[in-house]
Amino acid sequence: MKFYIADAFTKTTFGGNPAGVVILDKGQPFPDPAVMVKTAAELRYSETAFISPLDNDCFELRYFTPAAEVDLCGHATIASFAALLDAGLVQDDQDYTAKTRSGDLSIKLQHGFVMMEMASPETLGTIQEQDQLEQLYSIMGIPFEPVLAACGCSQYVKLLPDMISTGLPDIIMPVKDRKTLDAISPNFSALAQLSQEYQVTGVHAFTLDREGFDVTAHCRNFAPLYDIDEEAATGTASGALTWYLFSHGLIPDEKECAFVQGEAMNRPSRILTHIRKTENRALIQVGGNAAILAQGEIFL
């Protein structure tokens, strides 16, 4: 089987978020799930994607952390289609379908840039009780402080953590400024337990404190329940954050967002998203570039 290592949400190697990609031969069954978990653990990346080509424009993807299978992984999807492009199994400037456990996703390749449609956004709940807020922020290593954000010329909205899914559920947690974001230092065992209690993948912290108009928010992501202490770029959580900002009136319809993540890990990533509201649903797309670091054969 062909094997790749690709850095997603970056144009250069050693930036962004690395993922393993394993491409099966057409018609070849997926390895046993235990073998795929072991492979992800051996590679030591936060996720490894296994790809089964179904036909010329449709691929089945399965995603594994070093601990378990997950329904969807944004950065591993970006890495997967960059690898498929390099392998000659897809063509640039074409549309494809990725079949995942979160549903079928539309993928568009444009000059090497990969744009993927996320699952329909769903707000699962809000953390708003004082004791719950203090518990969450304490576990993240910072004090709870109310966050206010401008949603109009003279209107402000109080931001609280929401649990949102665009394929995987995360706690979308606002903090007031870059200094506070940088100060986050979670109790990982307590965060894993809390994530299990809330039935989420982890916490996606963000701040709207930024310089310039080409960045929407700076972010950090933590998912120790799945053996991911911190992640340099998280596509599904970026989709969830896009929905968070839209649902709170902080961005308009048809907005393109740019999120910066991974700075605390010295692996800066740039994640682009787009939201479009239709009569029946909100369509959120997440995209980025990927840089291939290595390729070869893997023997499973």
Side-chain angles (χ1 to χ4, degrees):
M1 287 178 279
K2 190 173 286 291
F3 161 72
Y4 282 86
I5 298 171
D7 295 330
F9 296 115
T10 181
K11 292 183 178 180
T12 59
T13 53
F14 307 114
N17 198 1
V21 178
V22 178
I23 305 174
L24 283 64
D25 295 329
K26 190 172 183 179
Q28 180 182 6
F30 285 102
D32 185 87
V35 172
M36 291 190 278
V37 169
K38 289 180 179 178
T39 302
E42 187 81 3
L43 294 175
R44 296 179 174 85
Y45 296 117
S46 59
E47 275 94 3
T48 294
F50 289 77
I51 307 173
S52 174
L54 300 180
D55 54 40
N56 291 336
D57 61 2
C58 186
F59 301 83
E60 183 177 359
L61 275 68
R62 294 177 67 179
Y63 309 92
F64 289 82
T65 77
E69 184 172 8
V70 294
D71 291 344
L72 181 64
C73 175
H75 83 273
T77 303
I78 301 295
S80 291
F81 277 86
L84 289 169
L85 182 62
D86 184 82
L89 296 175
V90 298
Q91 303 299 316
D92 210 350
D93 301 313
Q94 299 291 330
D95 295 344
Y96 296 92
T97 298
K99 301 182 75 69
T100 77
R101 299 208 314 183
S102 284
D104 293 354
L105 306 180
S106 297
I107 308 293
K108 181 181 288 291
L109 293 175
Q110 295 178 306
H111 306 295
F113 189 93
V114 183
M115 201 73 173
M116 59 182 174
E117 178 185 341
M118 308 306 294
S120 296
E122 183 179 5
T123 300
L124 305 172
T126 299
I127 300 174
Q128 53 189 338
E129 300 298 329
Q130 188 67 26
D131 59 340
Q132 294 176 320
L133 290 167
E134 291 178 357
Q135 178 192 36
L136 170 61
Y137 283 78
S138 175
I139 286 173
M140 300 303 292
I142 56 175
F144 169 67
E145 297 179 82
V147 177
L148 297 177
C151 62
C153 295
S154 59
Q155 293 182 320
Y156 285 82
V157 60
K158 181 180 179 181
L159 301 183
L160 294 171
D162 282 347
M163 290 173 282
I164 298 176
S165 176
T166 55
L168 290 178
D170 275 299
I171 297 172
I172 306 301
M173 189 186 90
V175 300
K176 69 173 186 176
D177 53 31
R178 295 274 300 279
K179 182 179 179 181
T180 306
L181 186 72
D182 293 341
I184 290 176
S185 181
N187 178 330
F188 290 116
S189 61
L191 179 55
Q193 182 177 345
L194 188 71
S195 299
Q196 196 164 34
E197 291 174 5
Y198 281 120
Q199 296 185 318
V200 296
T201 304
V203 169
H204 194 69
F206 77 95
T207 180
L208 298 176
D209 174 26
R210 68 229 186 243
E211 296 178 0
F213 294 99
D214 61 340
V215 175
T216 307
H218 291 265
C219 312
R220 295 179 69 183
N221 186 277
F222 309 88
L225 181 61
Y226 291 91
D227 285 354
I228 305 168
D229 286 348
E230 184 167 3
E231 193 161 48
T234 317
T236 53
S238 296
L241 176 55
T242 302
W243 176 246
Y244 181 102
L245 297 176
F246 178 80
S247 63
H248 288 282
L250 299 174
I251 59 172
D253 193 14
E254 298 287 355
K255 173 68 175 178
E256 292 185 353
C257 298
F259 300 126
V260 176
Q261 189 180 329
E263 295 163 301
M265 305 172 68
N266 293 318
R267 295 191 69 98
S269 306
R270 187 175 178 86
I271 305 158
L272 302 183
T273 73
H274 180 268
I275 184 166
R276 178 169 62 87
K277 190 75 166 63
T278 67
E279 183 177 347
N280 299 320
R281 58 170 294 194
L283 174 63
I284 294 177
Q285 295 173 300
V286 175
N289 294 96
I292 292 173
L293 176 66
Q295 63 167 297
E297 294 292 322
I298 190 166
F299 306 102
L300 299 177

